[in-house]
DNA sequence: CTGAATCCGCTCCGATACTG
DNA sequence: CAGTATCGGAGCGGATTCAG
């Protein structure tokens, strides 16, 4: 998918939907919203995700300017991921999702 | 995808992500949040979506208890879609998404 | 540790045609 | 008007292998 806004018009919902494409996008953003994380750390926090998929999502979120990647020239290599400013502003959405999601889970359990 | 909570644990983010699966889910929920709509009406409000896809999404959102479907025994047939109570509570998320999305679009335009 | 490169299978999108 | 049936193609997930 491309980044061009023109293809999605000015609809904030369609645009956000595109950013949230993929099974893990929302959870990854949430995990990064709690602080900077290393690659391996993220993988542990996302039970079931593979290296390939995690990398793919992180690359896409980088393109989308939601995630920042910082590489340290060390041995062994260290790479840290964090949210950009735009990513941090997503906090408001995350909070709403968290509350709604918990209520929704309760509903499904009934 | 199934509805079983057990497969997604108690993570509100993974659960919400699953509900929002698909290119049009978020926009459909938004359109219904502004009031009950007929099928054709929805299709007009979602430029580019086909009958097949709209139907498929609506069926899934029904399964997920987000959308209600009401059929009137008339000729020509009339079917109205609206949000369930759980769907209406999603309003909070929609509001946050709308604000963030608009800011995000501005960022991309720079 | 943090990847990249393949490859396969499944799901989802969407076009088309048909129906009550 | 409001769908269903079918089908091709694209996108995504995930396993595996190799590399700096």
């Amino acid at each position: 998918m491309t980044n061009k806004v023109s293809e999605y018009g000015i609809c904030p919902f369609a645009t956000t939907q595109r950013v949230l494409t993929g099974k893990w996008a929302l959870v990854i953003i949430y995990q990064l919203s709690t602080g900077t994380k290393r690659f391996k750390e993220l993988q542990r926090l996302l039970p079931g995700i593979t290296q390939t998929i995690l990398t793919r999502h992180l690359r896409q979120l980088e393109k989308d300017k939601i995630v920042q990647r910082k590489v340290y020239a060390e041995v062994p290599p260290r790479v840290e991921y964090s949210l950009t400013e735009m990513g941090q502003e997503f906090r408001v959405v995350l909070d709403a999702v968290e509350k709604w999601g918990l209520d929704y889970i309760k509903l499904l359990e009934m």
Side-chain angles (χ1 to χ4, degrees), chain A:
Chain A
M1 281 189 180
T2 128
N3 279 321
K4 288 180 186 164
V5 176
S6 55
E7 300 187 16
Y8 301 94
I10 53 170
C11 175
F13 302 102
T15 304
T16 304
Q17 172 92 66
R18 195 196 56 75
V19 171
L20 296 183
T21 293
K23 183 172 172 183
W24 304 88
L26 195 55
V27 199
I28 290 174
I29 298 175
Y30 165 69
Q31 290 296 350
L32 289 180
S33 79
T34 67
T36 297
K37 302 268 185 306
R38 297 182 60 174
F39 185 86
K40 197 75 176 184
E41 209 175 344
L42 264 179
Q43 201 178 358
R44 268 187 292 103
L45 290 169
L46 303 168
I49 201 172
T50 61
Q51 278 189 352
T52 312
I53 300 302
L54 179 53
T55 299
R56 202 181 294 173
H57 268 97
L58 288 170
R59 291 293 173 277
Q60 182 60 49
L61 289 170
E62 256 191 280
K63 280 188 196 167
D64 291 338
K65 303 185 192 303
I66 308 294
V67 163
Q68 273 173 338
R69 182 167 175 262
K70 182 162 188 183
V71 183
Y72 295 85
E74 303 176 355
V75 177
R78 182 159 59 106
V79 179
E80 288 184 350
Y81 292 93
S82 59
L83 295 185
T84 61
E85 195 175 328
M86 201 67 233
Q88 288 176 33
E89 287 176 24
F90 198 76
R91 237 293 156 216
V92 188
V93 176
L94 289 175
D95 288 342
V97 165
E98 184 169 20
K99 279 180 196 155
W100 184 86
L102 290 173
D103 284 348
Y104 181 64
I105 290 172
K106 283 183 200 163
L107 172 72
L108 293 188
E109 283 170 348
M110 298 186 337

